[in-house]
């Protein structure tokens, strides 16, 4: 199994970086994830409760979904936190981030996980803002998704 490669999906709004985790044993991965809380403000501002930012809560909810996603593919995930992923955010905005450890991952797992995470994080954020926003049917590359979110931010900052 080829677990030497780092898989990355990163733009100014979110990132998921999956790399081999030598400390986790064979077929173990580390998934660093983050969401730019300030970047999403034009979409989320005044559309959520006082104590639950949709971006932060979205990443937390997503990690629970990843546990089920991993189990359905014979893998196991858990939140490990720590400083393993410090400095990965693409800007100096306010980022909410976390680290998952994944054990017993298959070769195709990292690419499948990135697609699952990006799509579902956006669904959670938009749903928690009570916005029915269309998502691209197929996950675009990071720059194209960034342009898509920027257009949404432009639209909603006017409201």
């Amino acid at each position: 199994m080829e677990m030497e490669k780092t898989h990355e999906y990163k733009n100014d709004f979110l990132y998921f970086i999956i790399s081999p985790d030598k400390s986790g044993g064979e077929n173990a991965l580390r998934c660093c994830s983050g969401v730019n809380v300030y970047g999403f403000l034009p979409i989320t501002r005044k559309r959520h409760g006082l104590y639950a930012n949709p971006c932060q809560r979205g990443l937390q909810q997503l990690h629970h979904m990843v546990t089920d996603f991993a189990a359905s593919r014979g893998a196991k995930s858990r939140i490990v936190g720590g400083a393993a992923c410090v400095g990965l955010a693409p800007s100096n905005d306010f980022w909410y981030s976390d680290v998952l450890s994944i054990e017993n991952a298959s070769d195709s797992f990292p690419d499948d996980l990135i697609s699952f995470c990006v799509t579902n994080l956006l669904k959670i954020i938009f749903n928690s803002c009570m916005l029915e926003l269309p998502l691209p049917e197929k996950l675009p590359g990071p720059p194209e998704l960034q342009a898509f979110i920027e257009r949404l931010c432009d639209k909603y900052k006017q409201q």
Side-chain angles (χ1 to χ4, degrees):
M1 178 181 279
E2 213 262 85
M3 284 290 184
E4 300 296 319
K5 182 180 173 191
T6 294
H7 301 259
E8 183 174 298
Y9 192 99
K10 187 175 184 180
N11 63 33
D12 290 343
F13 291 93
L14 51 86
Y15 68 85
F16 291 92
I17 301 170
I18 302 172
S19 58
D21 184 1
K22 304 284 188 221
S23 67
E26 191 174 335
N27 301 335
L29 301 169
R30 175 181 298 127
C31 178
C32 300
S33 56
V35 62
N36 184 341
V37 175
Y38 289 169
F40 276 97
L41 275 179
I43 296 171
T44 62
R45 184 178 282 129
K46 298 180 185 177
R47 291 184 177 86
H48 60 86
L50 183 61
Y51 299 110
N53 180 284
C55 296
Q56 291 172 291
R57 186 69 183 122
L59 197 55
Q60 292 167 350
Q61 284 180 282
L62 178 66
H63 290 156
H64 295 292
M65 294 169 68
V66 167
T67 299
D68 292 338
F69 179 82
S72 74
R73 286 157 176 77
K76 179 182 176 184
S77 75
R78 62 187 170 87
I79 298 172
V80 293
C85 300
V86 170
L88 294 178
S91 71
N92 290 326
D93 289 338
F94 174 67
W95 287 79
Y96 180 78
S97 58
D98 220 333
V99 185
L100 295 175
S101 174
I102 300 165
E103 300 169 358
N104 199 33
S106 68
D107 283 339
S108 64
F109 189 82
D111 291 327
D112 294 342
L113 181 62
I114 285 176
S115 181
F116 176 85
C117 287
V118 172
T119 302
N120 283 291
L121 178 60
L122 291 176
K123 284 180 185 177
I124 293 167
I125 292 170
F126 296 161
N127 287 341
S128 66
C129 293
M130 296 177 283
L131 297 171
E132 292 185 29
L133 300 175
L135 289 173
E137 284 187 34
K138 184 177 183 276
L139 182 63
E144 293 82 15
L145 183 66
Q146 178 170 320
F148 171 78
I149 297 171
E150 286 171 343
R151 286 190 299 276
L152 292 174
C153 287
D154 287 343
K155 174 182 176 181
Y156 284 98
K157 74 179 170 188
Q158 306 302 324
Q159 297 180 1

